[in-house]
Amino acid sequence: MAGGPREQWTSRRGFVLAAIGSAVGLGNMWRFSYLAAENGGAAFVILYLAVTLLVGLPVLLAELVLGRGSQKSPIQALTHYGGRLWKPLGLVFVSAGFLILSYYAVIAGWALRYGLAAIASGFDPNAAERFGEVASGWDAFGYHLAFMAFTVFVVVRGVSRGIERTSMLLMPMLFALVVGLAVYAATLDGASAGYTYYLAADFSKLRSLDALKDAAGQAFFSLSLGMGAMLTFASYLGRDVNLPRASVIIAGADISIAFIAGLVVFPMIFALGLSADVSASTVGALFITLPKAFAEMGCVGRVVGVLFFVALIVGALTSAISLLEVVVSSTMDGLGWSRRRAGVLLGIAIAALGAPSAWSTEILGAVDQVANNILLLGGGFALSIFVGWVMAGPIEEAREGAASFAWFGSWRTLLRYAVPAFLFFVLVYDAIPSTFRTIADLF
Ligand code: PFF
């Protein structure tokens, strides 16, 4: 495939579903609901919406514009518009994809294991012990490898035959599953306590800047921003696609699924009286408390639990595909490798890099922190500067295929000033020691 004409999506719908597939994943189901519960419920949801619309959406459109305009993968897209000086940033993007996939696939491997075990023998009521066995060691590594093999398989088949087809098939199924589970959760006795916990607004929590930092990190992770994934997907697009509209649809779908996932998780946990188990770890809520809830629900729980884990695995797979595609397409464009060679060799390298995360959930958590709070937010900062100030004609590119693009004036202004200023602030806040933070929180 290397050297031939650039691959293309066969339909706009295929592109949009693949991009939503990238966005919707473990971040929506694994992290969002927990962050909301911890940071003041509906208050956090409102803050998150604001950050997504004012910071995430402009960066998403910037990535789409950069990708479609250059028709290249991240490193070449940056050098195409900015010269060789920008090559290191492209390398950071590709490394971020490498690193994130290495631990993301470990978590997806846990989900795979839970799902298969539930089909075979149901859920174990000793959920905490079970999690200990599943989450680390050779077992975790084995399922991580299996999940990576699926991801490589799809990516090696190519943009339209692999990624697009998979997304067209799996994404509608994922929507149906998540909505169906939310409807089922609403019928449980005691569900209302879960809604109250999730959605009661406690604005006092927002006084800490930590909530802002969490909202920003989550918005970038959830929308797959800051490392060129959306850029890469847009590089396979033709000029007739309305990018501003696509960006709104992708962000809207991502927020909706995250929100609905919370309407699944909390009613189930509270209906079974497991609220005390919503432990201090994000991993806990999903991989310990929920399986325990499914175990207590008996036969119905087994069916519901299998469906839940299927949704989780599907979300994780379509996201992992986009992470691998960043690395693969960059290697194809940069080194002239074939898709097959790049997919297989890089897949093996990423699988090996995931070994430490498969061995220790602490290492996994630490890598996740670095990736999320530094690489993605830093990448978003650099991207907004690049498209806002360096790239020639971003508005013209965004206008191609968009009959009416009403918000372009504010888009460029946001990208030039507000977005980098906001991200710089969050990055600095994250870097300063906690004592200063307490002082900063007073203001
Ligand atoms: N957006 C994915 C999620 O919410 O699970 C994670 C992700 C995928 C992050 C692709 C970054 C990326 F490039």
Side-chain angles (χ1 to χ4, degrees), residues 79 168 217 243 335 357 381 391 402:
T79 50
M168 299 273 276
L243 296 183
L335 303 180
S357 296
F381 172 79
M391 179 183 174

Side-chain angles (χ1 to χ4, degrees), residues 76 330-337 341:
Q76 282 82 7
S330 302
T331 317
M332 288 167 67
D333 286 357
L335 303 180
W337 285 17
R341 178 167 182 213

Side-chain angles (χ1 to χ4, degrees), residues 168-389:
M168 299 273 276
L169 181 77
L170 293 183
M171 291 316 290
M173 182 175 120
L174 175 65
F175 292 133
L177 276 175
V178 176
V179 172
L181 286 166
V183 171
Y184 170 73
T187 65
L188 296 172
D189 281 342
S192 58
Y195 295 131
T196 310
Y197 180 74
Y198 179 31
L199 295 172
D202 177 0
F203 285 96
S204 70
K205 289 269 171 46
L206 298 190
R207 280 215 293 273
S208 160
L209 290 174
D210 279 341
L212 195 66
K213 186 196 78 181
D214 281 349
Q218 173 66 11
F220 272 67
F221 185 81
S222 189
L223 282 170
S224 307
L225 297 178
M227 46 146 288
M230 291 298 180
L231 186 164
T232 306
F233 273 10
S235 74
Y236 306 121
L237 274 180
R239 297 236 111 72
D240 55 338
V241 175
N242 185 332
L243 296 183
R245 194 173 65 192
S247 66
V248 171
I249 295 173
I250 296 163
D254 187 50
I255 294 174
S256 308
I257 295 284
F259 183 73
I260 300 171
L263 299 178
V264 175
V265 172
F266 290 107
M268 285 197 191
I269 292 174
F270 278 74
L272 287 141
L274 298 175
S275 52
D277 288 12
V278 180
S279 62
S281 106
T282 51
V283 177
L286 198 60
F287 288 97
I288 299 177
T289 315
L290 272 182
K292 198 160 160 183
F294 296 139
E296 287 188 15
M297 283 186 215
C299 285
V300 180
R302 189 158 160 191
V303 175
V304 172
V306 168
L307 294 178
F308 180 85
F309 278 101
V310 168
L312 199 60
I313 295 161
V314 164
L317 180 66
T318 49
S319 298
I321 287 169
S322 71
L323 286 161
L324 184 59
E325 180 62 18
V326 170
V327 184
V328 165
S329 73
S330 302
T331 317
M332 288 167 67
D333 286 357
L335 303 180
W337 285 17
S338 72
R339 177 170 280 280
R340 175 183 294 269
R341 178 167 182 213
V344 172
L345 292 182
L346 294 165
I348 291 172
I350 292 170
L353 187 68
S357 296
W359 252 267
S360 143
T361 48
E362 263 131 55
I363 295 179
L364 188 153
V367 182
D368 178 46
Q369 283 296 317
V370 173
N372 223 1
N373 296 336
I374 302 174
L375 289 176
L376 296 188
L377 293 180
F381 172 79
L383 269 167
S384 58
I385 300 276
F386 187 84
V387 176
W389 297 94

Side-chain angles (χ1 to χ4, degrees), residues 9 11-24 163-175 230 233 246 249-250 253 318-319:
W9 304 105
S11 68
R12 280 178 229 187
R13 195 181 137 85
F15 157 71
V16 170
L17 285 179
I20 295 175
S22 169
V24 173
I163 303 175
E164 183 171 355
R165 266 198 209 167
T166 307
S167 310
M168 299 273 276
L169 181 77
L170 293 183
M171 291 316 290
M173 182 175 120
L174 175 65
F175 292 133
M230 291 298 180
F233 273 10
I249 295 173
I250 296 163
T318 49
S319 298

Side-chain angles (χ1 to χ4, degrees), residues 58-82 86 89 93 228 230-236 239 243 379 382-388 390-394 397-398 411 415:
V59 175
L60 173 57
L61 182 56
E63 285 209 23
L64 298 185
V65 161
L66 200 52
R68 191 192 52 189
S70 63
Q71 297 281 304
K72 291 182 166 69
S73 51
I75 301 174
Q76 282 82 7
L78 289 167
T79 50
H80 176 82
Y81 284 112
W86 289 88
L89 179 63
F93 285 176
M230 291 298 180
L231 186 164
T232 306
F233 273 10
S235 74
Y236 306 121
R239 297 236 111 72
L243 296 183
L383 269 167
S384 58
I385 300 276
F386 187 84
V387 176
V390 179
M391 179 183 174
E397 180 57 42
W411 175 57
L415 267 191

